[in-house]
Structure formats: structure tokens, C-alpha cells
């Protein structure tokens, strides 16, 4: 109850009837209120959105970096597959050349190119004339020792040394 000489203040917001209350729309303190920006940033719903945004950005960055790595590795795999295909083609070609080179006809051709002949066989080697020999054939003057038009060589027996050893090996191939 109110004391003598005071009037009771009846306010719908107050729990006590004897103390006057200050309405909500009137500022009662001398301390400044917190700024609106600080209140907005620190609000729980805003903080949750900031955290979710950071997680989404991190997820996009992680996905993008993995995608770039995957593309680079796929390109490297494709280049290695192309290299393997080229090596397989080269191996096939080398196998074919090896099969041809080990045939008796190829061995005979290689020996003939090296200057070997069968026993009793006469070998004729035709050498292309040089420009000075061609000029002499037309009638112009040229040095007599410039180049002969053809060289004839006859196979001889028993050359000795390495040639004799190779010749014996060659004969043993055919007999």
C-alpha cells in the first residue's frame, strides 16, 4: 500500500504498484547503446550464415582443386597411352625387321654389300663415274687419274686374318 501523502502509480508494466516505472520508449541510462552494426554481426542467425558461407566457399574451392587435378591426371594418362601405342608400333616394326634380317636371303645380301662372295664367284662392282670422268667422255680434257668408269674385282681365296675367318663362317652357313 502507498504511504501517506503519495499517490500510487498504476502501470500495466510494473509488478509493484508503489514504484514508478519508466516506459520502454524513454532512454533511462547515460551509457550509449551498442551500435546496430555490432549487434547485426554478432547476432546468432548472422553468425550461423557466416559459418555456412565459409563452409560453402571451402567446399567449392576443394571441389575445384580436385577437378583440376583430375583433369591434369587424365591428360597425363592419355599422353602416356599415346606413348605406349607408339612404342607398341615401334616394337612390331622392329620384330618384323628382325624376322627379315635373320632370313638367309637378307644375310646373303648384307654379306654381298660388305664385299663378300661365294668361293669361285666373280664379283663385278660398278662405280658411278664422277663429273670429271663424264667430262672426259664428252671430249673435254680431264686428269687421267680422276676416276675410272668401272672397277672390276675378283674374289680371291685365303685373304688371311679377319676376312678369312668371316669367309669360312659364310661358307659354313651354306654347306
Amino acid at each position: 500500500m502507498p504511504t501517506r501523502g503519495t499517490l500510487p502509480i498504476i502501470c500495466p508494466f510494473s509488478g509493484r504498484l508503489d514504484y514508478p516505472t519508466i516506459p520502454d520508449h524513454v532512454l533511462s541510462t547515460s551509457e550509449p547503446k551498442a551500435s546496430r552494426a555490432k549487434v547485426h554481426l554478432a547476432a546468432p542467425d548472422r553468425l550461423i550464415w557466416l559459418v555456412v558461407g565459409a563452409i560453402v566457399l571451402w567446399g567449392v574451392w576443394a571441389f575445384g582443386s580436385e577437378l583440376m587435378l583430375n583433369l591434369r591426371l587424365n591428360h597425363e594418362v592419355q599422353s602416356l597411352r599415346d606413348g605406349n601405342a607408339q612404342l607398341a608400333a615401334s616394337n612390331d616394326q622392329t620384330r618384323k625387321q628382325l624376322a627379315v634380317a635373320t632370313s638367309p636371303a637378307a644375310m646373303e645380301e648384307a654379306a654381298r654389300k660388305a664385299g663378300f662372295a661365294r668361293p669361285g664367284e666373280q664379283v663385278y662392282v660398278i662405280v658411278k663415274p664422277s663429273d670429271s670422268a663424264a667430262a672426259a667422255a664428252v671430249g673435254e680434257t680431264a686428269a687421267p687419274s680422276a676416276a675410272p668408269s668401272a672397277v672390276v674385282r675378283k674374289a680371291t681365296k685365303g685373304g688371311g686374318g679377319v676376312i678369312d675367318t668371316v669367309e669360312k663362317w659364310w661358307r659354313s652357313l651354306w654347306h
Side-chain angles (χ1 to χ4, degrees):
M1 286 283 176
T3 59
R4 230 178 207 231
T6 61
L7 291 172
I9 300 175
I10 300 175
C11 181
F13 305 110
S14 173
R16 292 182 64 177
L17 297 176
D18 58 343
Y19 288 107
T21 58
I22 301 173
D24 289 336
H25 66 278
V26 177
L27 292 174
S28 64
T29 65
S30 62
E31 295 178 17
K33 281 191 169 183
S35 70
R36 256 181 108 68
K38 289 182 182 176
V39 171
H40 270 313
L41 189 59
D45 61 337
R46 300 281 192 240
L47 191 60
I48 289 172
W49 282 111
L50 286 174
V51 169
V52 168
I55 290 172
V56 167
L57 284 176
W58 174 78
V60 167
W61 174 79
F63 179 76
S65 64
E66 288 296 320
L67 181 65
M68 293 303 292
L69 177 67
N70 189 19
L71 290 174
R72 185 171 45 88
L73 289 176
N74 282 340
H75 178 62
E76 188 175 336
V77 164
Q78 187 60 40
S79 66
L80 289 174
R81 284 182 180 156
D82 292 343
N84 283 346
Q86 288 176 351
L87 287 174
S90 174
N91 285 346
D92 289 342
Q93 183 180 5
T94 304
R95 281 189 195 102
K96 288 176 185 175
Q97 289 175 350
L98 185 61
V100 168
T102 56
S103 69
M107 292 176 83
E108 181 178 357
E109 181 180 349
R112 289 193 181 276
K113 283 182 181 179
F116 295 102
R118 290 188 179 183
E121 184 177 55
Q122 288 186 349
V123 178
Y124 297 97
V125 179
I126 300 173
V127 179
K128 195 175 195 179
S130 66
D131 292 336
S132 60
V138 173
E140 298 176 7
T141 59
S145 64
S149 60
V151 176
V152 178
R153 192 173 104 193
K154 188 174 183 179
T156 58
K157 286 189 175 184
V162 175
I163 296 174
D164 190 33
T165 306
V166 172
E167 189 175 342
K168 286 179 185 177
W169 171 79
W170 187 254
R171 282 190 206 135
S172 68
L173 270 175
W174 302 106
H175 299 290

